[in-house]
Amino acid sequence: AYFRLLCSLLIPALFLSGILCVCLVVLLWGIRLWIQQRKKQLTSAGKDGKRPLLVAFFHPYCNAGGGGERVLWCAIRTLQKKYRNVTCVVYTGDRDATGEEIVEGAFRRFNIKLTHPVKFVFLEKRYLVKASLYPHFTLLGQSLGSVFLGWEALLKCVPDIYIDSMGYAFTLPLFKYLGGCQVGCYVHYPTISTDMLSVVRNQDTRFNNAAFITNNPLFSKFKLVYYYFFAFMYGFVGSCSDVIMVNSSWTLNHILSLWRAGACTSVVYPPCDVQTFLDIPLEEEKSTTEYSIVSVSQFRPEKDHPLQIRAFAKLLKEKRLGQQPSLKLILIGGCRNEQDEERVNNLKNLCEELGVSNSVTFRINIPFEELKRHLAEATIGLHTMWNEHFGIGVVECMAAGTVILAHNSGGPKLDIVVPYEGHLTGFLAENEDSYAETMAYILSLSPEKRLEIRENARRSVHRFSDQHFEETFLLSVEPLFK
């Protein structure tokens, strides 16, 4: 009787599920045809009668001024040089600036001049990808928000080739299956990683794992299940890519384990303007009365600026015991929004608490020439992000001739601060004590020894040049143009 009842319920349920699946497929196919029709209406032929190939970059914060934005503008410049019949489109939420101002900002910040105009598609729903909108389930919230933002982008402009250059992998199936586009992506860091899973599994308190979760075994287990579910979904959408570019060995390892698309995945180191920094003359230090320690990174929580300030305070405390040259810490970075500005204010308050305000300077959204000047004068370049996916700021510091001190993890450990031809190129540290100790050690070295390390570091950074990026980027995206 139970079996008969089960069959009588199961067969209609399967039949209904089948009908719903067919309806869904027909609906999606209808949407795809409608979008293709819309594409024909929206695009017009060029002067030579040929319709230009539209290559669109999804970069909602294209005016932010960070390393990811440098990759975007270098990629566009590279495509403009290589392909004549290509129009580059940027989907952006930066509605507070005009297209001309954004392009001018790219030149002012990164020294990148584009050879042809860029078409900007301004999006109204960027607030949907803001982390602040999702106090809980942030990863899932932002990812679903990016789908809606991607839908707005697709309706406003249907490209031939779609490249996600900011890490919104959930937009990839949208453009591939509904937009009928060739899709590629440049991954700066995985949205979720095996490291993040281990942080939750080990109940480790970090900026992305609150103490109230780590202190409760039930919450920790629930978050772990949520992370595994999200990792599965992330792997599914990422595997839709025709071309996958990653910025470092660290990112490569994570993307290969999550997306399982090794055949179309390659490492493309981000372009660092090394030549501009290499043009700074490398001389033995003249001043022995004052040393500056410079940090270059956006004011985001994962960059861990509090660690820099605490380590610097510890260094100052130890240095005051003897007659030492004066030290100053210069924090250089970009502020994207109110949350970043609030973060800077909190950092200033931390300086007050630790009594180092007079020795710490904040330089926000500064022009490129000023950045160069600070790096040219600095003795130590400081970088503290745990598992930094790459670290453009680390490369710039090394090219400019500072002695780099980066975190012993991620891109700096695997790709950048590595011996070059058997010679030391910089230093790595992990916590407040080791940062303070290593800074003290660097300052205790003779100017000749520091010069030797700086020269080794400079020689090692040519593999991160704009030219090397252009070559590897073109090689990677070539399948999209076939």
Side-chain angles (χ1 to χ4, degrees):
Y2 283 121
F3 181 72
R4 202 177 293 119
L5 178 66
L6 192 66
C7 286
S8 66
L9 291 171
L10 192 63
I11 290 165
L14 287 171
F15 183 69
L16 187 64
S17 300
I19 289 173
L20 287 172
C21 285
V22 170
C23 289
L24 183 64
V25 169
V26 170
L27 176 67
L28 292 174
W29 186 253
I31 293 170
R32 182 183 165 116
L33 289 176
W34 174 68
I35 286 172
Q36 293 305 308
Q37 196 61 39
R38 190 178 172 84
K39 180 180 181 177
K40 286 174 187 170
Q41 292 168 356
L42 290 173
T43 54
S44 54
K47 291 174 186 174
D48 56 358
K50 287 182 182 176
R51 192 181 68 79
L53 198 70
L54 286 183
V55 181
F57 290 84
F58 190 74
H59 209 105
Y61 290 91
C62 75
N63 204 27
E69 287 65 59
R70 188 164 212 288
V71 171
L72 169 73
W73 300 117
C74 272
I76 290 172
R77 183 179 64 183
T78 303
L79 291 181
Q80 288 182 346
K81 277 192 214 169
K82 168 79 174 176
Y83 298 101
R84 289 182 179 275
N85 194 38
V86 158
T87 297
C88 289
V89 178
V90 177
Y91 296 119
T92 179
D94 292 301
R95 290 159 65 220
D96 56 346
T98 63
E100 291 79 15
E101 285 168 347
I102 293 170
V103 170
E104 172 57 33
F107 176 64
R108 187 169 49 82
R109 289 183 185 124
F110 307 121
N111 206 25
I112 294 171
K113 198 157 185 69
L114 302 178
T115 51
H116 300 291
V118 171
K119 181 184 173 185
F120 288 92
V121 174
F122 291 94
L123 307 175
E124 292 169 28
K125 296 184 177 66
R126 187 176 74 178
Y127 64 88
L128 291 174
V129 296
K130 278 190 175 180
S132 57
L133 194 64
Y134 313 100
H136 307 293
F137 301 102
T138 312
L139 294 179
L140 191 61
Q142 283 184 291
S143 297
L144 292 175
S146 74
V147 175
F148 287 101
L149 190 63
W151 177 247
E152 182 193 345
L154 188 58
L155 290 183
K156 287 185 173 176
C157 175
V158 187
D160 300 291
I161 295 169
Y162 171 80
I163 299 173
D164 164 43
S165 52
M166 212 180 157
Y168 294 108
F170 281 72
T171 62
L172 294 167
L174 191 70
F175 280 82
K176 182 166 186 170
Y177 299 118
L178 294 185
C181 312
Q182 288 281 94
V183 301
C185 57
Y186 188 95
V187 185
H188 296 276
Y189 54 92
T191 306
I192 191 164
S193 67
T194 49
D195 291 324
M196 287 166 72
L197 290 168
S198 70
V199 163
V200 180
R201 199 185 300 112
N202 299 333
Q203 294 179 261
D204 187 3
T205 305
R206 293 212 179 226
F207 75 89
N208 60 350
N209 197 38
F212 79 89
I213 289 173
T214 60
N215 295 335
N216 188 311
L218 185 66
F219 283 175
S220 285
K221 281 188 173 62
F222 179 76
K223 185 166 185 177
L224 195 59
V225 170
Y226 158 58
Y227 266 20
Y228 272 115
F229 167 74
F230 185 83
F232 170 76
M233 292 300 296
Y234 182 60
F236 174 73
V237 296
S239 63
C240 296
S241 292
D242 299 303
V243 162
I244 302 163
M245 293 166 279
V246 297
N247 66 343
S248 69
S249 305
W250 181 85
T251 308
L252 176 71
N253 295 335
H254 288 285
I255 290 298
L256 287 178
S257 68
L258 290 162
W259 292 10
R260 303 186 187 282
C264 57
T265 307
S266 55
V267 176
V268 178
Y269 287 132
C272 309
D273 193 9
V274 293
Q275 196 50 55
T276 305
F277 292 105
L278 291 170
D279 290 341
I280 298 168
L282 193 61
E283 297 164 358
E284 211 171 285
E285 303 145 35
K286 292 183 180 72
S287 170
T288 52
T289 56
E290 184 179 74
Y291 290 123
S292 70
I293 298 162
V294 169
S295 156
V296 182
S297 57
Q298 285 184 313
F299 289 101
R300 302 207 304 256
E302 63 271 25
K303 297 296 182 182
D304 206 353
H305 288 91
L307 173 56
Q308 299 180 2
I309 293 165
R310 287 196 180 96
F312 179 70
K314 186 160 273 196
L315 174 70
L316 278 188
K317 196 176 175 185
E318 288 163 8
K319 282 276 170 190
R320 284 197 185 120
L321 297 173
Q323 289 297 310
Q324 298 287 348
S326 68
L327 298 172
K328 60 177 178 177
L329 174 64
I330 304 168
L331 302 178
I332 301 171
C335 271
R336 302 163 299 170
N337 47 41
E338 287 170 19
Q339 286 97 332
D340 287 359
E341 284 162 19
E342 189 185 333
R343 221 164 269 129
V344 170
N345 287 331
N346 291 339
L347 292 171
K348 286 178 179 175
N349 292 338
L350 178 63
C351 292
E352 291 276 348
E353 281 172 39
L354 298 171
V356 295
S357 291
N358 294 338
S359 304
V360 181
T361 308
F362 289 82
R363 303 297 297 129
I364 296 155
N365 298 333
I366 61 172
F368 188 73
E369 286 305 311
E370 189 183 337
L371 168 69
K372 258 176 80 173
R373 183 170 55 78
H374 283 300
L375 286 176
E377 293 167 0
T379 302
I380 298 173
L382 196 57
H383 193 272
T384 47
M385 180 176 166
W386 171 73
N387 269 341
E388 168 72 90
H389 32 96
F390 179 72
I392 287 181
V394 175
V395 174
E396 288 177 345
C397 285
M398 288 166 74
T402 69
V403 178
I404 191 68
L405 173 55
H407 199 282
N408 190 25
S409 62
K413 179 185 181 178
L414 295 174
D415 292 312
I416 307 171
V417 191
V418 293
Y420 180 72
E421 294 178 352
H423 299 292
L424 189 68
T425 57
F427 297 88
L428 299 166
E430 286 180 13
N431 51 40
E432 196 180 308
D433 289 335
S434 61
Y435 268 98
E437 284 165 21
T438 312
M439 282 191 280
Y441 174 72
I442 294 167
L443 295 169
S444 73
L445 293 172
S446 67
E448 295 81 19
K449 183 60 184 169
R450 277 199 294 267
L451 183 62
E452 191 184 305
I453 296 167
R454 291 157 69 205
E455 284 171 343
N456 295 336
R458 274 195 152 190
R459 281 195 291 270
S460 75
V461 297
H462 285 286
R463 63 214 159 97
F464 308 121
S465 65
D466 284 4
Q467 188 185 349
H468 192 261
F469 169 82
E470 288 179 9
E471 290 164 6
T472 51
F473 177 77
L474 286 174
L475 208 60
S476 297
V477 298
E478 201 176 349
L480 299 176
F481 290 84
K482 285 179 180 172

